[in-house]
Amino acid sequence: MNYFEKDLTSLHDDLVAKRISVTDLVQATFDNIAATDPDLNAFLALNKDAALKKAAEMDEKGIDADNILAGIPLAIKDNIVTKGLTTTAASKMLENFVPIYDATVVSTLNEKGIINVGKTNMDEFAMGGSTENSALKTTKNAWDYTRVPGGSSGGSAAAVASGEVIAAFGSDTGGSIRQPSSFNGIVGMKPTYGRISRWGLIAFASSLDEIGPMTRTVKDNAILLSAVAGHDDHDLTTSTKEVPDFAAELNDQTSVKGMKIGLPKEFLGEGVDSEVKDAILAAADKYRELGATVDEVSLPHNKYGVAAYYIIASSEASSNLQRFDGIRYGHRSDDVKNLEDVYVNSRTEGFGDEVKRRIMLGTFSLSAGFYDAYFKKAAQVRTLIINDFQAVLKDHDFIMGPVAPTPAFKIGEEISNPMTMYMNDILTIPVNLAGLPGMSIPAGFAKGMPVGMQLIGRPFDESTLYKAGYVFEQATDFHKQTPKQGGKN
Amino acid sequence: MASRIDQDQVQHVASLAKLSLNDDQLKYFTTQLDEIIGLFETLNEVDTDGIEPTSSVSDQINVMREDVADNWGQRDALLANAPESEKGYIRVPTIIDESEDE
């Protein structure tokens, strides 16, 4: 089976009514992965024995009719640590790393009865936008196996879009949930900074990293965010704000009537594919038809987002990745004569080119004599980017635009030019810099490939994004299209 | 166009970051980093006089907690991930390069 015709609610009903057992559902998921994944390459590791054992226990115990997540199989990006299950961040550095604890999102999901079927491929340490920077595998786009799935959460996006799983978790530092969701025609939420605990997320850029759900429908996404959001004593950047039951607000009465939507002119400017632009303009018309107003707004500092981001994110990465020294865990070089060699040779052998590039950019930006010119300047520009968003969101309920300037590009097409790759993030990066919630939802097709629309909201107002996304989804059928190549059985 | 970073600087940055680059990689990374640092310098167009830098967007500031141990006592499990261990300790090679003493 694949998950194309299913959502969390219908799966839950099937499990409660015993139309399918948890064991059969989990086994069917692994059968589908076995048929699909040799071509798709979404998974780095499968959790087969533990998943089937947990499924059997749940069948024995019976499904709790009040717990929609009980017995639901899903996948986890491989930079989120899972106790006893290899977690590599798609790096040779961690190829054999077996965590001794679960990330908070994983332990929360486990307690709620989900079944982790495996770990998904990604750009090494989440650095990249095509999953081509994985040191371990090349994941394909679920819609076209010659194209990239996006990144860095490319494995999670491809696994959901191909019907291998109903949902997956990813992480987003500069667009890594939203862009692959856009490229694969699924729903991906990067929540507000502080909404979800990052305890157990292998740190890339700590002032930007967020974890979030990737699903086929807006409602499923809302269910999963409510399940994992909230304060965690292990991540003191998490907010103590109450977490709404986001999905409870999505029903026949949900409406965008009277909502004010801002469409930044900078989001439809130079470099944005004309078919992508058309899809977003059509979506704006759809929102008008549904009773919202859409007017043009401006985010004047948006164009500086990429430069500011690559200084800030690389600086934080250069610091976070110092921990990989070949001593306590991870790769240790065999070619060593002294302790210095352990550090240098282990890191040189263990990291791929993109990771080295970012570590060096960060080290440079923070080094004596350059700090003020680069890091401090970028942190000041970050303030201006935040101010731009605040000015627009003061009198707009949310902002809409494309997720990425283009649909998915060909494998191998852009990987040799880091600058081209970096500029692809121009529409997603500012949202991380400002810590705002941003969601990608299917909004059309360009050159036969899915186009995602990005909805950006006020801090901790994921609720408005889910409502607006849900209303759009109900009024369109883009999310019902499925890739021909995915879901082999 | 004047170069913004040269091979000596890239070599210096690599050594600060505990990375080693061969001659080909040094050339390759110098060209790329120079181009990316050129992108960074577009920020000079922005007037940031008197603008406070942002280092965090968390709504939590200076959260305090009790200093108590949690989830401890897993020495063997931790050591299982170490590349080399002995008698409950992580083993590393000799710190001083012995070959230089010969």
Side-chain angles (χ1 to χ4, degrees), chain A residues 324-470:
Chain A
F324 299 104
D325 56 6
I327 304 291
R328 292 151 302 154
Y329 54 89
H331 174 74
R332 182 188 290 181
S333 175
D334 292 329
D335 175 25
V336 293
K337 291 197 207 67
N338 54 45
L339 192 61
E340 180 75 3
D341 285 354
V342 174
Y343 302 143
V344 174
N345 296 355
S346 300
R347 289 166 66 81
T348 300
E349 292 166 12
F351 291 140
D353 279 359
E354 183 60 30
V355 175
K356 288 177 184 167
R357 199 148 40 228
R358 306 242 188 145
I359 289 174
M360 287 192 283
L361 283 169
T363 305
F364 172 77
S365 302
L366 294 172
S367 62
F370 295 105
Y371 178 86
D372 280 352
Y374 296 102
F375 188 81
K376 188 179 170 204
K377 184 82 182 179
Q380 288 173 310
V381 171
R382 184 176 189 179
T383 305
L384 295 172
I385 288 169
I386 294 170
N387 294 348
D388 284 354
F389 276 118
Q390 277 176 352
V392 172
L393 289 168
K394 200 160 61 182
D395 54 5
H396 291 83
D397 294 281
F398 66 93
I399 291 168
M400 65 175 284
V403 173
T406 66
F409 41 90
K410 295 270 186 186
I411 292 170
E413 192 177 12
E414 297 191 2
I415 192 70
S416 59
N417 189 341
M419 277 280 280
T420 311
M421 292 294 278
Y422 293 180
M423 293 312 287
N424 287 335
D425 302 337
I426 190 162
L427 304 174
T428 44
I429 272 174
V431 178
N432 298 78
L433 289 172
L436 302 174
M439 179 167 74
S440 174
I441 60 169
F445 292 86
K447 296 166 186 71
M449 296 301 292
V451 171
M453 167 164 64
Q454 184 173 209
L455 309 181
I456 302 164
R458 296 170 182 149
F460 298 101
D461 189 20
E462 291 87 359
S463 179
T464 294
L465 302 190
Y466 280 134
K467 285 180 195 161
Y470 180 78

Side-chain angles (χ1 to χ4, degrees), chain A residues 98 234 304 357 374 383, chain B residues 32 41 45 52 54 70 81:
Chain A
V98 182
H234 287 126
Y304 299 109
R357 199 148 40 228
Y374 296 102
T383 305
Chain B
Q32 286 183 343
E41 293 190 344
E45 296 165 16
E52 281 295 311
T54 297
D70 175 21
N81 270 310

Side-chain angles (χ1 to χ4, degrees), chain A residues 69-90:
Chain A
L69 296 181
I72 302 290
L74 56 73
I76 307 280
K77 185 177 181 180
D78 207 29
N79 59 348
I80 300 174
V81 302
T82 44
K83 185 175 182 175
L85 182 61
T86 312
T87 299
T88 68

